[in-house]
Amino acid sequence: MKAPLSWIKDYVDVPAHVTTDELTRRLTLTGLKLEAVESPGREITGPLVIGRVLTMEPEPQKNGKTINWCTVDVGDANGTGEPQGIVCGAHNFAPGDLVVTVLPGGVLPGGFAIGARKTYGHLSAGMICSARELGLGEDHDGIIVLPPDAGEPGQDVRPVLGLDEEVIELEVNPDRAYALSLRGIAREALVSVEGADRFRDPAVRDTPAPNADGHPVVVEDPAGCPVFVARKVTGFDPTAPTPDFMVRRITAAGMRPISLAVDVTNYVMLETGRPIHGYDADKVQGAIVVRRAREGERLTTLDGTTRELDPADLVVTDDSGIIGLGGVMGGETTEMSGSTTSILVEAAHWDAVSMFRTGRRHKITSEAGRRNERGVDPTICEAAADRVVELLVEHGGGQAHPGVTVVGSPPAVPAIRMAADLPQRVAGLPIDSRTVVASLQAVGCRVDADGADVEVVPPPWRPDLTDPQDLTEEVIRLVGYDAIPSVLPTPPSGRGLTRAQRLRRRIGRTLAGEGFVEVVSFPFVGASDLDDLGLTADDPRRDLLELSNPLNAEAGFLTSTLLPGLLRTAGKNVGHGNDDVAIFETATVTLPRHAGPAAILPVDRRPTDEEFAALDAALPAQPLHLAVVAAGDADSGGWWGESRPVTWADAVEAVRSVAAALGLEVTASAVELAPWHPGRCAELSVDGEVVGHAGEVHPTVCQAFGLPKRSVAAEVDLDLLMARAVDLRRAPSFSSYPVAKEDVALVVDTGVPAAEVEQALREGAGELLESIRLFDVYTGEQVGPGRKSLAYALRFRAPDRTLKEGEAAAARDSAVALAAERTGATQRA
C-alpha cells in the first residue's frame, strides 16, 4: 500500500519533530513493514517552473503531424526575462494557460536531459511537460494545464504539483486489510507514534436516512451480501476533469487516473478502504437483485472477458440479466462511459471467503477484490456511498438524488473473553491490566473488565481479531516487540542419536571414504522416466502413487526407485564436463498399498485404535533406499600409472563396503533386471534375503540419461540392511600363530556364479579358514569350451596353536569336495 505522507496527516496530527524515518520505524515496529519511501520529484533536477503561454502557432509538417511553435513567459527563471521559444506537439492548451516548463539544464525522470536544440525549423529551448514526462502518471498525449491561481511565471512548480511529497510504501499482511486504506494507516500512526492525536475518521459522517425513493434492491443471499447501499447522482457532466489533488493522490498511491466518475470511487476506496462500484444508471433495467449464479450463466466483465460462472459465485443482476460479479468486477453492459450522465453508486459488503474463492476461480485480481477478500468494515457502506456522491456533485456538476437504499445490516461482532494476564504470560513482560485495556481500546476495541478477565468486542474493521491470542498480539505490538527480552530457553540434556541416525551416519561416512559424493534429488517421476529405465509394463516399479497437485505435469508421481533422479544428476554432471562421477543418495521411495483412500475423521474426539490402524494402512510403504551411480574413471591416471575405468564390480563393491560397515556380508549372484546390462547385473542378498541390485547400466539407459557407456549403478533397501546391522562393532581378534596358505583352481561351467563356488568352499573349509579370495578367472583351450577356471587363495590359521602338518591340506580338500558336490567343480591340475 502506497500512502502519501500529506494524505496520512489529513486524518491524524503527527508531532512536527517526528521525521518520516521515525514515523515509518514506528509503523514497522507495530506491524506495517516499510518497503520504500518515494518522492515523485526525486529524479527531477534543474529549473522546473510555471510558464504562461503567450503565443501558440500551429505548423503542419510533411509527415502529417502538426506542431505548435510557442512563446512562454517563464519570468526571470531563464536569466533574461525574455519569453522562451518552445516547440510542443500537444494541443490541449491555449494562450494564457499556465503550464509546467522545464528549461535547458533540467533533467527529467529516466535521466532525460533537456537542452536547447533545433527541431522543426526552430530553436526549442526547453519543454512543456506532460504528467508522464514528470513521472506523475501515464498521460503523455496532453500537457499539464495548471489552475489559473497556481502561481506566477518563473515560480518553482514543485510545491504546486506536490513533487516534493513523500510517499510511504508499506507491506500489509493479509490479516490487516484495514491498512489498505489511508484511514487504517492513519489509525496505525495514531497508536504507533508517541504524541500523535486528533484522529479524524473519514468514514464518520452524517448520512441521509434510507427511504422508499431509492433504487429497488433485493438481496436473496444475505449471508453472502449482508449490506447493500445504493445512491444515485443525476445531471453528471462526463467531461468534467478530475481535480488535480485527486489525480496526484491516486497516482501516488499506485493507481491510474481514468475519468472523474471512476477516479472518485477509487479515491474513496483508498481513503476509507471500502470498495465502491458505479453503474451507468440509464443502462440498469429494473430492480437490482443479488444472488448466486446459476448453472450455465455467463458474464462479460469490464476487462472484456466472457466468463462461465460457477453456482458459488455471487452476482448482481437486473431485468436484463447479470450485470456484475459481486465484489470482484462489474459487467460491460452497465459500464460507465464518456456519455454517462446518471450514476448509480453501489457500496456493498461481501462475504470475504466467497470473494476470495470467486477471484481465484476466475483468476481476477483487482484493487476492490483485494480488499473484499481480506475483510472490510461492514459498517461504513452508507458513509462511503455518501462520500462518493458528495465528490461527484462537487466536481462533476451533478445532483444527489434524494433516494437512499439500504438493504440489510452489518453482522454482529462476537465478544471475546480473555484472561487479563495472558499478554504478560506470553511476552514475559510486566504488562498490567490497565495497559491491556488501554492498548485494546487504542485499536478500537470495546473492553469491559470483569475481575481477572476482560471481555472484548473487536472493532468492525478488524475481522482478524477472533480469539484471545489475537488480542494478546495487539497488546504486545503496542507495548513494543522490541521490549520483549531475548531469553533463550535452557535445552534439555541430549539423548544422543537414535539407532537409525547412527547407522545412516556410518553409511554416509563409508561411501564418502570410498570416493562418492552425496546428492539430493526431487522424489518425483513421470512415465517417461520409467520408459528411459527400460522397465517392462509389468515391472512392479511402475506401480506409482499419483500426486493430486504436482509441481511439474511431466513428473506427477512419487518415485518407487532412486535411480531416475540419480542417473539424471550424473548425466547433468557429465554434460557440464565432469567426466568422472561417483554419487550416492539415501532417501525414501513410495510403494502404494492400494488400501483405498484414508477416511476423514472428526476432530471432536481422539481417533480409536482401529481408526489409527486404518489410517496407517492407507499410507503407502516408504522404505529407505540407497543408490549409487558412477561413470568415467574409478582411478585417475598420471605419472604413477594408467587410469582404471569403473566396472560393474565397483558398484557391487560399494554395496559390500556399506554392508561391511553395518557388520554384514553381502552375497552376489547373477540376474537380469532393468536398467542393468544383461549378464552384468548382480542380485545382492544378506542371509538369503534379496536387498538390492548392482551392475553395469544398459547402453540404451546410458544414452537416455546422457551418460557414457559402461556407467554403473546400484540400489539397495537400507531398511533391510539396517534391521540386521550390528550396533556395537567389536574390534576383530587376531591370532599370533603362523598362517597356512593353500591355493586351489576349480573348473566349472561358465554359468556357475563364482559366489556359489566361494560359498561352498567357505562352508567346506570349516572353522580354520581365515579368509578366501578369488584372484584369477581363466577361460580358454586348457579348460575347454563352456568352462572356466576359478582360482582361490585360502588362508588357514588357528587362534590358539600352530597348525600341524596336514591340517590345512585336509581343510582344503574338504572345501574342494563340497564345492564339487554343489557346483560340479573339478580341481584343475
Side-chain angles (χ1 to χ4, degrees):
M1 175 69 186
K2 292 184 176 182
L5 189 59
S6 65
W7 204 355
I8 297 174
K9 292 181 178 179
D10 278 356
Y11 307 128
V12 63
D13 291 342
V14 178
H17 68 272
V18 176
T19 64
T20 303
D21 288 343
E22 176 61 16
L23 171 62
T24 54
R25 187 183 75 86
R26 293 304 309 173
L27 288 173
T28 298
L29 285 175
T30 52
L32 298 183
K33 179 184 174 184
L34 174 68
E35 285 290 306
V37 177
E38 302 173 351
S39 178
R42 186 171 295 173
E43 295 185 61
I44 302 176
T45 60
L48 185 70
V49 300
I50 297 175
R52 185 185 301 278
V53 180
L54 300 178
T55 64
M56 178 178 175
E57 300 176 10
E59 297 182 356
Q61 304 298 311
K62 294 179 180 180
N63 59 5
K65 182 179 180 180
T66 299
I67 60 97
N68 293 304
W69 170 239
C70 306
T71 56
V72 182
D73 178 11
V74 293
D76 294 330
N78 59 4
T80 66
E82 297 296 324
Q84 201 84 354
I86 299 175
V87 171
C88 182
H91 305 282
N92 66 318
F93 62 102
D97 285 345
L98 296 181
V99 295
V100 179
T101 308
V102 58
L103 301 178
V107 179
L108 297 181
F112 182 45
I114 303 299
R117 64 188 184 94
K118 191 169 184 179
T119 180
Y120 293 106
H122 299 281
L123 182 64
S124 181
M127 176 186 288
I128 302 174
C129 300
S130 69
R132 183 175 183 180
E133 288 157 349
L134 296 177
L136 296 178
E138 295 299 319
D139 185 7
H140 61 89
D141 295 326
I143 56 92
I144 299 173
V145 178
L146 299 173
D149 58 351
E152 297 298 323
Q155 177 184 332
D156 192 343
V157 79
R158 288 174 174 82
V160 178
L161 296 178
L163 292 176
D164 295 328
E165 167 83 280
E166 289 184 306
V167 178
I168 302 171
E169 183 176 1
L170 299 167
E171 178 183 315
V172 179
N173 290 337
D175 61 339
R176 297 191 181 274
Y178 67 93
L180 293 174
S181 68
L182 273 298
R183 177 197 190 208
I185 294 174
R187 192 184 297 276
E188 284 297 292
L190 177 70
V191 300
S192 302
V193 179
E194 186 176 356
D197 61 2
R198 295 186 61 222
F199 175 64
R200 297 171 289 279
D201 192 339
V204 173
R205 59 192 293 121
D206 294 329
T207 57
N211 55 53
D213 297 328
H215 193 93
V217 175
V218 177
V219 178
E220 295 182 357
D221 192 332
C225 181
V227 183
F228 195 106
V229 175
R231 296 284 301 276
K232 186 183 290 186
V233 174
T234 59
F236 175 76
D237 180 6
T239 64
T242 303
D244 292 337
F245 81 91
M246 194 176 294
V247 170
R248 289 197 300 270
R249 286 185 165 179
I250 289 175
T251 302
M255 299 184 71
R256 184 172 63 90
I258 298 174
S259 66
L260 177 60
V262 176
D263 294 344
V264 164
T265 59
N266 286 337
Y267 184 83
V268 174
M269 178 182 69
L270 291 169
E271 186 178 59
T272 66
R274 164 55 60 190
I276 308 290
H277 184 66
Y279 302 92
D280 187 327
D282 294 333
K283 298 178 182 177
V284 177
Q285 303 176 24
I288 285 178
V289 178
V290 179
R291 59 172 174 81
R292 299 284 175 174
R294 300 188 180 103
E295 196 71 41
E297 287 187 315
R298 294 170 175 259
L299 170 67
T300 301
T301 46
L302 291 176
D303 58 1
T305 303
T306 300
R307 305 179 186 278
E308 185 81 29
L309 300 181
D310 188 275
D313 293 333
L314 279 166
V315 294
V316 181
T317 70
D318 66 0
D319 291 349
S320 66
I322 299 175
I323 60 174
L325 201 54
V328 178
M329 187 173 285
E332 267 190 350
T333 58
T334 56
E335 179 183 8
M336 292 185 295
S337 66
S339 60
T340 297
T341 59
S342 182
I343 299 173
L344 182 64
V345 178
E346 167 207 299
H349 183 70
W350 307 93
D351 174 62
V353 174
S354 180
M355 294 303 95
F356 176 83
R357 291 174 177 170
T358 297
R360 296 302 178 275
R361 187 181 299 119
H362 296 286
K363 297 180 175 60
I364 298 177
T365 301
S366 66
E367 290 291 336
R370 185 171 165 228
R371 289 162 173 81
N372 280 326
E373 68 186 23
R374 286 165 169 79
V376 187
D377 187 348
T379 65
I380 64 170
C381 294
E382 294 171 71
D386 190 65
R387 174 69 166 149
V388 170
V389 170
E390 176 187 66
L391 292 173
L392 289 175
V393 170
E394 179 180 353
H395 301 288
Q399 295 179 341
H401 189 279
V404 178
T405 301
V406 179
V407 177
S409 59
V413 180
I416 304 170
R417 197 165 188 83
M418 179 185 75
D421 66 343
L422 181 60
Q424 174 177 290
R425 288 187 279 116
V426 170
L429 292 172
I431 304 175
D432 57 33
S433 59
R434 284 184 297 180
T435 302
V436 171
V437 172
S439 298
L440 293 175
Q441 289 175 338
V443 298
C445 297
R446 191 172 71 247
V447 185
D448 293 324
D450 182 13
D453 293 345
V454 291
E455 189 171 82
V456 183
V457 179
W461 61 85
R462 294 298 302 273
D464 57 303
L465 303 181
T466 59
D467 57 46
Q469 285 70 33
D470 296 328
L471 301 178
T472 296
E473 181 183 359
E474 291 300 300
V475 174
I476 295 174
R477 77 182 181 95
L478 294 189
V479 170
Y481 290 126
D482 54 337
I484 299 176
S486 298
V487 180
L488 292 176
T490 302
S493 58
R495 298 181 179 178
L497 300 177
T498 64
R499 177 179 184 273
Q501 289 172 328
R502 291 196 305 272
L503 296 177
R504 289 186 66 171
R505 290 194 177 189
R506 192 187 301 175
I507 292 166
R509 287 194 297 266
T510 299
L511 287 171
E514 295 292 325
F516 289 85
V517 177
E518 186 172 14
V519 299
V520 178
S521 306
F522 279 115
F524 312 121
V525 295
S528 61
D529 295 311
L530 304 185
D531 293 340
D532 290 341
L533 287 181
L535 304 188
T536 59
D538 59 348
D539 194 300
R541 287 169 292 179
R542 282 192 176 272
D543 187 10
L544 302 174
L545 187 68
E546 186 173 4
L547 297 168
S548 60
N549 188 23
L551 294 176
N552 183 349
E554 296 180 358
F557 302 88
L558 286 171
T559 188
S560 61
T561 167
L562 300 182
L563 290 178
L566 209 58
L567 290 169
R568 192 180 301 110
T569 301
K572 287 182 179 179
N573 277 270
V574 171
H576 283 82
N578 185 13
D579 296 328
D580 303 327
V581 179
I583 57 177
F584 79 96
E585 180 177 15
T586 57
T588 57
V589 298
T590 304
L591 309 176
R593 289 174 174 158
H594 302 290
I600 305 300
L601 301 179
V603 297
D604 57 346
R605 60 175 177 81
R606 183 185 185 279
T608 64
D609 293 341
E610 291 76 13
E611 288 171 334
F612 269 125
L615 289 175
D616 289 338
L619 293 174
Q622 299 177 73
L624 182 67
H625 277 206
L626 162 70
V628 300
V629 170
D633 289 337
D635 297 320
S636 300
W639 57 265
W640 53 87
E642 294 183 357
S643 61
R644 182 182 70 82
V646 296
T647 67
W648 64 270
D650 290 300
V652 175
E653 190 58 32
V655 178
R656 288 189 187 276
S657 299
V658 169
L662 299 178
L664 303 174
E665 188 173 342
V666 170
T667 301
S669 57
V671 73
E672 290 190 9
L673 181 71
W676 288 279
H677 194 296
R680 297 172 190 169
C681 174
E683 183 178 78
L684 308 175
S685 305
V686 174
D687 297 335
E689 182 174 11
V690 177
V691 296
H693 299 82
E696 182 181 309
V697 180
H698 196 284
T700 58
V701 178
C702 291
Q703 182 178 5
F705 287 95
L707 289 170
K709 293 181 179 180
R710 297 194 176 278
S711 297
V712 301
E715 183 170 13
V716 295
D717 189 327
L718 274 188
D719 281 346
L720 296 179
L721 288 176
M722 293 194 301
R724 293 172 167 80
V726 178
D727 291 336
L728 297 177
R729 301 294 307 279
R730 295 183 180 276
S733 58
F734 294 93
S735 173
S736 60
Y737 294 95
V739 66
K741 301 179 180 180
E742 296 285 347
D743 294 343
V744 295
L746 302 179
V747 179
V748 296
D749 293 338
T750 54
V752 176
E756 291 185 13
V757 178
E758 178 181 325
Q759 183 64 27
L761 289 173
R762 188 182 300 276
E763 293 181 18
E767 297 180 354
L768 294 179
L769 181 66
E770 183 177 83
S771 67
I772 182 171
R773 178 174 62 88
L774 176 66
F775 67 88
D776 183 56
V777 178
Y778 172 77
T779 58
E781 295 181 359
Q782 296 183 20
V783 297
R787 305 277 283 174
K788 64 183 176 181
S789 172
L790 304 176
Y792 293 89
L794 285 70
R795 299 296 180 261
F796 298 93
R797 195 191 318 250
D800 56 349
R801 59 190 170 85
T802 299
L803 293 178
K804 296 180 180 179
E805 184 179 355
E807 283 186 288
R812 179 203 61 202
D813 293 342
S814 177
V816 171
L818 187 58
E821 179 183 340
R822 288 188 178 178
T823 66
T826 59
Q827 192 164 1
R828 184 178 174 189

